[in-house]
Amino acid sequence: MQNIIKNYFTESIQAQIVMTEALSEPIEQAASIMINALLNGNKVLTCGNSLSAANAQSFTAQLVSGIDIERPNLPAVSLVADNILISSIANHYNQFHDIYAKQIQALAVQGDILIVLSPTGNEKSIIHAVQEAVIKDLSIIVLSGGDGGAVVGLLGRNDIEIRIPSDKERTISEMQLIILNCLCQLIENKLFIHRDSY
């Protein structure tokens, strides 16, 4: 068991080191886009499936309530959080593919940010969400893994893909959470702590 424990943590540390080198720039770009949107009075929408849904909801909670400092609440909505709404959309349209797209259609306005968490980038509910975000002229930030999947082809030149260098869903989910925590810290630092040091 000790070997399994050591291997697990070693794999996680190695993935984080690779991410530090490969993803610092897109993470910084994503933070800047979010900061500008929030300063302009827009909001952040998040979605994802399975483990990514839990990360989306956690990040939304961080934005709204903060973590380490007392600060004003930031406007964010998790599209994965309302089970009744999701089941209603799925039941009405007889499929789950539009559970996020319909919420984006109803809630999003131009200038909002959509953060999409997907290890493969190929889930139909995620693809439909991004398609609707394009129609609504939202800025899109995708945290993906593997080869990025079909979602990558939908992104515009001002959208951001943060592609985690792994094919393992467990590793991708873990790295998603680290990236989201980092984004929250960057946003808090810029908006509420050291405005000139960002």
Side-chain angles (χ1 to χ4, degrees), residues 7-68:
N7 288 339
Y8 181 89
F9 281 101
T10 299
E11 182 181 333
S12 176
I13 291 165
Q14 288 172 343
Q16 291 178 55
I17 290 169
V18 171
M19 273 197 335
T20 302
E21 297 299 322
L23 301 180
S24 292
E25 186 174 338
I27 291 170
E28 181 179 14
Q29 292 170 345
S32 295
I33 287 173
M34 292 177 66
I35 288 163
N36 289 334
L38 292 166
L39 287 172
N40 288 329
N42 289 102
K43 62 185 173 295
V44 176
L45 307 171
T46 66
C47 68
N49 297 323
S50 187
L51 295 174
S52 294
N55 288 341
Q57 198 162 350
S58 173
F59 182 59
T60 303
Q62 288 182 45
L63 288 177
V64 172
S65 65
I67 305 176
D68 296 325

Side-chain angles (χ1 to χ4, degrees), residues 32-188:
S32 295
I33 287 173
M34 292 177 66
I35 288 163
N36 289 334
L38 292 166
L39 287 172
N40 288 329
N42 289 102
K43 62 185 173 295
V44 176
L45 307 171
T46 66
C47 68
N49 297 323
S50 187
L51 295 174
S52 294
N55 288 341
Q57 198 162 350
S58 173
F59 182 59
T60 303
Q62 288 182 45
L63 288 177
V64 172
S65 65
I67 305 176
D68 296 325
I69 62 169
E70 283 290 325
R71 50 125 169 119
N73 306 102
L74 296 172
V77 179
S78 170
L79 304 181
V80 308
D82 191 331
N83 293 331
I84 294 171
L85 177 58
I86 288 172
S87 63
S88 176
I89 293 169
N91 183 58
H92 184 75
Y93 295 96
N94 203 28
Q95 59 184 4
F96 276 86
H97 303 334
D98 289 323
I99 56 173
Y100 304 133
K102 293 296 181 185
Q103 293 184 73
I104 292 167
Q105 196 175 77
L107 299 173
V109 297
Q110 185 178 15
D112 285 349
I113 303 284
L114 176 66
I115 296 188
V116 174
L117 310 177
S118 172
T120 67
N122 291 319
E123 304 100 316
K124 287 185 179 179
S125 62
I126 295 299
I127 291 169
H128 288 198
V130 172
Q131 288 171 334
E132 187 61 38
V134 170
I135 292 169
K136 298 282 279 191
D137 199 19
L138 308 187
S139 294
I140 303 164
I141 299 169
V142 175
L143 274 69
S144 64
D147 65 2
V151 162
V152 176
L154 302 173
L155 300 180
R157 59 191 181 95
N158 294 322
D159 299 323
I160 304 291
E161 183 196 15
I162 303 173
R163 189 182 301 179
I164 296 157
S166 176
D167 293 311
K168 291 184 179 178
E169 185 173 357
R170 182 200 73 210
T171 301
I172 293 168
S173 175
E174 183 181 350
M175 296 305 114
Q176 281 177 351
L177 194 55
I178 291 170
I179 291 167
L180 294 170
N181 288 341
C182 181
L183 284 171
C184 190
Q185 186 171 354
L186 290 169
I187 291 165
E188 287 186 342

